Amino acid sequence: MAAPSSTWVGLIRNGLDFVVDHDSKVARWRTNVDTQLELAIEDNDGDQLLQVAGQLSSKLRGMGEQAFANWLNSVFADIEVADPSWPQSIAELGAPIFTTNYDTVLERFAAGAVDWRSPHGFQRVLNASGEIGHIHGVYTEPDSVVLSEADYTRQKSAEGIQSIERAVSATKSIVYIGCGGTLDDPNFTELLRWHRKTFTTSAMPHYRLCLSSELAALKELHRDSNIEPISYGDNFSDLPAFIKSIAPREDVARSASGVVRDVVTDMRTYLEDQFRQETIIGEGLADLDNKPIDELIVPPVLLPVPHQEFFRSAQEPEEKLDVVNPDEDLDNDGVILLVADENSGLSTAIRWLLLAASRKRHIAPVFLDFRRFPAGHKPLSKLRSGEALERGLIQNRTEPLPAHVLGIDNFHSHNRIAERASDELGGTEGLTIVGCSSVNEADAVDILKRAGCDVRVRYLGKLGTKQVRAMAELASGSKAELLAAAVVATLRSEHLPRTPFTVAMLVSLMARGESLIANASPTAIIDQYVNHLLGRDDANEDSRRALSAADRESILTDLAVKFVSDDHGAVLQSEAIGTMESFFQRFAWEESPRKVLDDLVRRRVLIDDGVRVRFTQSSFLYLFAAKAAAKSPDLLDSILKRPLYYASILTSYAALVRNDRATLEELSKLIAQPPTPGENSAFDARAPRDAPDGLGEHLDEILAATEEAPSEEPPTDLPSSDPLDSSSDVDVLPFPVTDDADLPPLIRFTQSLSLVSVVLRDSEEVDDLALKRQSLETVLRGWGYLSDALHDDESFQELAIRLRAQAEDELGSDEKGFVENLIKLLPSLIMHTGIVSALASRKLLVTAREVADLEATKLDARLAIPSALLIESIGELGWEAQVDALIEPFETTPVVEEFVTIVLLMAYHQAKPGSPLEKRLKDILSRGYLARLKFDNAKERAHVKSSYMQWLERAKGSVRRAGGIAG
């Protein structure tokens, strides 16, 4: 006998009873709803019934998500099946199965459940994964249950439903099983409406199974549709036998549409679908399902040793190691043990290698998770056979496995299962790829070798610029170079991990928001990155039923205040939970701090090691602390009392707020008193020196020798340096370990100058233009004085002594000369690097021009030269004229001769041949060269000028031919 809730009317009445049982104040509401329900039954009105169901849904969900879940469990969790042959015969049909039922009866004979919210899950069902697709949701996922008209509206526009429309409309037939009248199942009525709308022109026939007694009525019902009713017998008990009669033969592997299956290709497709489900680069692509995997993922970097050791070997040519070629490595049998740090993309790398090996060897890929290995005898065989059976590689568990390449993820040796599985591997041939974390490497190698496995260890390398560029090509071919450069800059500045997840996230965010590439500060980029982690882009998120991204941001902002108040980069787990508990109590939110903490860890925003909790990256802490400071003047005041200690928070704050005049004014006081310049300043003019006798002839000889020298092809075997390898992706400590009060004065001034520079650059919307001009003048003069003071600084002199001593011991005469020049240029290089990295922004260009036009600038080299370097680094059209005017009065100073000339020479080499920029730069360089020399007569001066300009042209040609400048 059917349960009272097995019909739709019964289900609604059950729900109404549940509400009354748990809320004594709904008597009048129940009476009204009962009246509407009876009218719907009386009029046989399915639409009216759905309205009643909508009222029930609103009331149940209004009682709380757990109440709704409890009701669903009470109805569907313990359903008993009188005749299991019904669901079993359907599940074993071998075709994609979708149901409008909320229960999981079919799952007792299938691979699991997916609901309409998962387009990739529905795609798997269509590819005969053996899972059951729940068109109207499944009771175990309450948020998926479609019960009201609003739910129907949300469901019909879902990608999962649209994927059925795309896949079925042209190529597959639908068989409808087990439908009754309108009031028995309005879900089915809605499904048939959807069918008529979607498949009006479908050339494929569709079928509806029914009893013999129903056949005539259903033929009349479907006379205007392409659904053909088919009788399966006189009684319900005839259905299992009928379904078995139309099932494909057991001895042939067939596709869902009855075509003989290419099981190897199907198993590759299954892995490829997992890539598509997880891709970040491919998010939002309309043709994602048709994209080749090579256009969604870049190959992993395989190293023969851990990354740090590999990087060190690259510095010594005689010890340099090569990256492992996966294509060659996959040719050899045995066990590849792939070792990686946590959250570094190990699972993706294993699947990529499995697919590549499968294609090379023309055999099926089998991917297993070690965490699912069963206890007992032969755990590997049990799980592998089960996976092979589920994917159709074998037809029954006793059938021998065909040749395949095996991948095992999350391997560890913490229990006896690892020993038993390793013993099984030791007795097999072929290729197996095993992945484990770096903390388990030693034990994994030991246990596999003791089992007789031929193990070769490979390490998953960090992504370099080459891989970043490849991802940028996949995401945005036309802007790949610009996109890759922005991602590399962010990885370096924020010390972000160079993992596929992080790089793909940054590439995706910047590709979608072009302004992020060109204009955004690192803080804005990190803000977008974190927003994505928190689920800001999740269209399915409903803040009425669960925490939203904005809620999570508020929780983390409050938690960051705890970190700042404690001056620690980590807090005890109990304190973190307590802070969240206080937050929820303050706003009367009914949330579990433990669950929220786990969710934020899963989202990779926090790390919980079981004892302490910290932000995944220090830059995340700075970001949320800055958000807190933006809301709390008291917190901002306390941070401003220790500006160098909290410098990273203040720079993040400036980038977020962008218009805090008071903070800019307060911080500018830190650099009001620049350091005293030393003797023999590089900014003091020198008298022109006598031109050497015969200088013109000497330059002519150099030109002649250059012209006679044979043209050489640019070398192809020079070691290439990756800018990402010159910076560490190991996160910095959130707060300094040294009190800024203990810092030497010059170091303290340098840190203050960097802080004020960044704050000024990112305070784009401060409208006090006089303050901005005054602040920029102070900052630029500060960089000039800093460069000057470094020459005589004691710490700098100690560094120079160490460099000279090292050069004396290890380098030849040419290299020693290079070191001397480097020591001489280093103060200017520090000034230039600081201006470029902390200050340069197009938003400051107008103010920079105003500073350049000041009378004080024209008289002060320590202000004029930094101003010139800033304008050159911004690089707007006509910059060379402004730089020329700034440096001309100071052409005989060492800083211009020895450093600014190099900057302009590099710009000349990069200028388009024949362009006005190239001509102007050549004039500036030649004029400066001549200004530093005294000539006996005008003829000799003209001769030297002509020869020097020819040398400039010849040098540029040589540099370009050698590949030094890309053009």
Side-chain angles (χ1 to χ4, degrees):
M1 182 175 177
S5 56
S6 60
T7 65
W8 246 74
V9 172
L11 180 66
I12 291 175
R13 284 175 171 156
N14 182 288
L16 295 175
D17 291 342
F18 183 91
V19 171
V20 171
D21 289 344
H22 293 82
D23 188 347
S24 59
K25 301 177 182 178
V26 294
R28 176 180 290 181
W29 174 85
R30 172 65 187 266
T31 300
N32 291 336
V33 175
D34 278 340
T35 300
Q36 295 176 53
L37 179 59
E38 293 307 318
L39 284 173
I41 296 171
E42 217 174 283
D43 297 339
N44 198 34
D45 189 338
D47 291 336
Q48 178 68 19
L49 187 63
L50 280 178
Q51 292 180 19
V52 174
Q55 294 182 59
L56 172 62
S57 175
S58 297
K59 181 64 71 174
L60 284 167
R61 284 173 166 141
M63 294 168 64
E65 289 302 310
Q66 191 57 51
F68 186 59
N70 290 343
W71 171 63
L72 291 173
N73 274 312
S74 71
V75 175
F76 298 109
D78 299 318
I79 288 180
E80 294 185 8
V81 181
D83 184 0
S85 65
W86 269 54
Q88 185 173 2
S89 63
I90 295 172
E92 293 176 354
L93 186 58
I97 299 173
F98 293 92
T99 180
T100 60
N101 291 353
Y102 307 131
D103 62 64
T104 55
V105 170
L106 285 169
E107 279 78 358
R108 300 175 190 179
F109 306 94
V114 292
D115 63 67
W116 57 272
R117 300 171 304 169
S118 172
H120 297 301
F122 269 27
Q123 191 63 45
R124 291 199 307 273
V125 176
L126 287 167
N127 288 328
S129 67
E131 297 164 292
I132 306 299
H134 285 261
I135 295 176
H136 292 133
V138 59
Y139 84 93
T140 54
E141 295 289 340
D143 196 45
S144 72
V145 171
V146 175
L147 196 58
S148 66
E149 288 185 277
D151 293 333
Y152 277 110
T153 301
R154 187 164 56 105
Q155 177 253 14
K156 285 176 183 176
S157 62
E159 178 65 21
I161 298 301
Q162 292 174 8
S163 70
I164 299 179
E165 295 177 6
R166 289 194 297 267
V168 176
S169 60
T171 62
K172 288 183 173 66
S173 296
I174 299 175
V175 179
Y176 294 104
I177 303 174
C179 52
T182 300
L183 293 187
D184 289 332
D185 192 353
N187 270 348
F188 205 91
T189 302
E190 285 295 313
L191 185 63
L192 293 180
R193 286 177 181 171
W194 166 80
H195 181 108
R196 282 192 290 270
K197 176 184 176 183
T198 304
F199 306 128
T200 52
T201 60
S202 173
M204 299 297 293
H206 304 285
Y207 307 96
R208 178 173 179 177
L209 302 188
C210 63
L211 291 168
S212 302
S213 58
E214 299 171 327
L215 190 59
L218 288 179
K219 281 188 175 182
E220 182 177 350
L221 175 67
H222 293 299
R223 64 180 181 269
D224 64 339
S225 71
N226 50 21
I227 298 176
E228 180 181 349
I230 299 288
S231 169
Y232 59 79
D234 296 332
N235 302 301
F236 292 124
S237 58
D238 294 332
L239 180 63
F242 178 85
I243 290 177
K244 287 183 179 179
S245 72
I246 64 173
R249 297 200 325 265
E250 292 184 0
D251 60 337
V252 177
R254 294 180 179 272
S255 71
S257 56
V259 179
V260 175
R261 294 176 60 198
D262 178 353
V263 179
V264 173
T265 299
D266 285 351
M267 295 190 74
R268 288 181 196 149
T269 301
Y270 174 70
L271 284 181
E272 291 172 352
D273 286 343
Q274 290 182 312
F275 282 127
R276 291 189 176 92
Q277 293 168 42
E278 298 169 4
T279 180
I280 297 173
I281 294 293
E283 281 183 348
L285 292 178
D287 58 345
L288 175 62
D289 292 337
N290 300 319
K291 283 283 187 184
I293 292 304
D294 293 341
E295 295 185 21
L296 298 175
I297 186 171
V298 298
V301 178
L302 300 188
L303 304 178
V305 295
H307 186 88
Q308 289 303 321
E309 187 177 337
F310 182 83
F311 174 65
R312 285 194 297 269
S313 79
Q315 313 308 307
E316 302 293 338
E318 64 277 5
E319 298 180 9
K320 189 176 186 300
L321 298 171
D322 292 325
V323 173
V324 176
N325 184 339
D327 196 52
E328 296 176 0
D329 215 23
L330 295 175
D331 281 334
N332 302 312
D333 288 349
V335 174
I336 296 177
L337 181 65
L338 187 56
V339 181
D341 295 331
E342 294 292 335
N343 298 317
S344 60
L346 178 60
S347 300
T348 300
I350 294 173
R351 290 201 297 266
W352 187 94
L353 291 169
L354 266 182
L355 277 176
S358 170
R359 294 188 185 109
K360 283 178 67 69
R361 294 169 175 248
H362 307 290
I363 56 178
V366 178
F367 180 79
L368 305 176
D369 190 332
F370 184 76
R371 294 172 298 187
R372 293 181 57 216
F373 275 40
H377 185 56
K378 293 191 174 181
L380 171 60
S381 296
K382 290 177 182 176
L383 187 61
R384 179 167 49 183
S385 295
E387 180 72 11
L389 182 64
E390 184 175 335
R391 302 296 159 214
L393 187 60
I394 57 176
Q395 299 303 308
N396 58 72
R397 287 185 177 273
T398 60
E399 182 182 336
L401 284 169
H404 60 280
V405 58
L406 177 64
I408 302 175
D409 194 12
N410 297 306
F411 185 79
H412 63 77
S413 56
H414 300 164
N415 51 43
R416 292 290 305 279
I417 295 176
E419 293 182 10
R420 297 187 182 113
S422 299
D423 288 340
E424 291 186 80
L425 281 178
T428 60
E429 298 178 353
L431 174 64
T432 301
I433 303 162
V434 178
C436 76
S437 71
S438 53
V439 297
N440 294 319
E441 175 193 353
D443 290 339
V445 171
D446 179 63
I447 200 169
L448 288 167
K449 286 188 173 180
R450 280 195 283 111
C453 298
D454 180 15
V455 183
R456 54 189 185 275
V457 182
R458 300 291 182 253
Y459 298 86
L460 191 57
K462 299 175 182 179
L463 298 191
T465 302
K466 178 181 177 182
Q467 288 75 37
V468 174
R469 192 174 293 116
M471 281 198 188
E473 287 280 357
L474 298 180
S476 176
S478 62
K479 295 183 173 62
E481 285 295 326
L482 184 62
L483 180 58
V487 171
V488 168
T490 302
L491 290 169
R492 295 184 68 187
S493 67
E494 303 303 316
H495 303 282
L496 295 175
R498 288 152 50 187
T499 64
F501 176 84
T502 301
V503 173
M505 183 81 79
L506 288 173
V507 168
S508 177
L509 288 172
M510 294 187 187
R512 283 182 288 168
E514 292 185 9
S515 62
L516 279 178
I517 302 178
N519 303 314
S521 66
T523 298
I525 295 171
I526 290 295
D527 193 20
Q528 290 291 321
Y529 178 85
V530 172
N531 279 338
H532 196 83
L533 294 180
L534 295 181
R536 187 81 70 177
D537 304 326
D538 187 352
N540 293 320
E541 187 174 79
D542 186 346
S543 61
R544 297 169 301 173
R545 301 176 181 174
L547 288 176
S548 66
D551 297 333
R552 297 183 191 102
E553 178 182 304
S554 296
I555 293 166
L556 289 164
T557 299
D558 189 69
L559 185 61
V561 176
K562 169 67 175 174
F563 282 72
V564 172
S565 64
D566 288 357
D567 281 343
H568 282 301
V571 299
L572 291 173
Q573 183 193 80
S574 58
E575 294 179 350
I577 291 174
T579 301
M580 291 184 185
E581 180 69 41
S582 298
F583 178 87
F584 297 146
Q585 289 176 357
R586 190 159 73 247
F587 298 107
W589 290 9
E590 190 175 354
E591 300 291 342
S592 164
R594 176 73 261 182
K595 289 182 178 179
V596 172
L597 176 58
D598 290 343
D599 175 64
L600 294 172
V601 169
R602 181 183 61 80
R603 292 176 181 275
R604 308 189 192 203
V605 182
L606 296 178
I607 292 176
D608 179 3
D609 63 12
V611 178
R612 292 184 179 274
V613 173
R614 61 183 175 86
F615 283 87
T616 306
Q617 296 291 135
S618 294
S619 55
F620 296 178
L621 170 56
Y622 305 149
L623 174 69
F624 287 107
K627 289 176 182 286
K631 296 178 180 178
S632 169
D634 290 341
L635 178 62
L636 178 60
D637 287 343
S638 67
I639 290 174
L640 284 171
K641 290 176 182 176
R642 302 176 67 189
L644 297 186
Y645 188 82
Y646 295 121
S648 295
I649 297 176
L650 286 169
T651 54
S652 296
Y653 168 82
L656 289 174
V657 177
R658 303 172 68 186
N659 62 359
D660 190 337
R661 174 189 178 281
T663 294
L664 175 60
E665 189 171 22
E666 180 66 24
L667 291 176
S668 296
K669 297 175 184 177
L670 295 172
I671 56 172
Q673 295 296 324
T676 304
E679 299 179 1
N680 300 316
S681 168
F683 290 86
D684 291 342
R686 304 284 194 268
R689 53 190 179 275
D690 292 332
D693 293 337
L695 177 60
E697 289 76 8
H698 177 64
L699 288 173
D700 291 340
E701 291 173 5
I702 294 175
L703 289 170
T706 306
E707 190 171 359
E708 293 170 4
S711 177
E712 296 182 359
E713 292 295 322
T716 58
D717 57 348
L718 292 176
S720 58
S721 75
D722 190 327
L724 284 174
D725 281 334
S726 65
S727 63
S728 173
D729 66 348
V730 177
D731 197 22
V732 297
L733 292 173
F735 302 115
V737 294
T738 304
D739 194 318
D740 52 88
D742 298 329
L743 293 173
L746 195 61
I747 299 296
R748 190 162 58 249
F749 181 81
T750 304
Q751 291 185 5
S752 300
L753 187 56
S754 296
L755 169 61
V756 179
S757 296
V758 174
V759 169
L760 173 60
R761 179 196 67 194
D762 293 339
S763 297
E764 300 170 345
E765 296 180 8
V766 168
D767 57 6
D768 187 337
L769 302 186
L771 172 63
K772 288 177 77 169
R773 184 171 57 251
Q774 180 184 351
S775 298
L776 182 58
E777 180 183 351
T778 302
V779 165
L780 289 170
R781 186 179 280 110
W783 284 113
Y785 273 88
L786 173 65
S787 174
D788 211 359
L790 281 171
H791 281 282
D792 295 326
D793 179 65
E794 183 177 336
S795 299
F796 180 77
Q797 293 303 322
E798 291 175 357
L799 172 62
I801 291 170
R802 289 198 301 272
L803 289 173
R804 291 189 181 100
Q806 187 174 357
E808 190 67 34
D809 294 339
E810 301 177 11
L811 303 178
S813 57
D814 290 343
E815 290 86 353
K816 290 176 186 176
F818 171 78
V819 170
E820 278 301 324
N821 286 331
L822 177 63
I823 292 171
K824 187 187 298 183
L825 294 175
L826 200 53
S828 298
L829 189 60
I830 290 172
M831 169 181 64
H832 184 236
T833 302
I835 289 171
V836 171
S837 63
L839 194 60
S841 168
R842 189 173 179 276
K843 301 288 178 59
L844 279 177
L845 183 59
V846 172
T847 309
R849 288 170 176 164
E850 292 175 355
V851 172
D853 289 338
L854 294 174
E855 282 301 318
T857 306
K858 299 172 184 176
L859 300 174
D860 186 354
R862 294 178 186 85
L863 178 55
I865 303 306
S867 297
L869 293 174
L870 174 60
I871 291 172
E872 183 275 334
S873 65
I874 295 173
E876 283 292 301
L877 185 67
W879 65 266
E880 71 280 4
Q882 296 164 319
V883 169
D884 186 17
L886 284 165
I887 67 172
E888 184 177 10
F890 309 105
E891 283 180 323
T892 61
T893 60
V895 68
V896 172
E897 179 179 3
E898 296 164 1
F899 185 78
V900 176
T901 297
I902 294 175
V903 174
L904 296 178
L905 193 59
M906 291 175 64
Y908 170 72
H909 286 161
Q910 292 173 324
K912 183 179 179 180
S915 65
L917 174 61
E918 182 195 50
K919 182 179 183 304
R920 185 65 178 265
L921 287 172
K922 187 162 61 172
D923 289 341
I924 295 171
L925 287 165
S926 62
R927 189 196 66 219
Y929 181 75
L930 297 173
R932 293 184 282 272
L933 297 171
K934 287 193 304 183
F935 295 93
D936 292 335
N937 55 69
K939 181 179 179 181
E940 178 66 11
R941 188 179 189 280
H943 183 185
V944 169
K945 177 180 180 180
S946 174
S947 298
Y948 180 77
M949 295 185 79
Q950 289 182 60
W951 174 83
L952 284 174
E953 295 172 3
R954 193 73 54 80
K956 177 172 182 173
S958 298
V959 169
R960 293 175 68 85
R961 284 194 300 275
I965 300 295

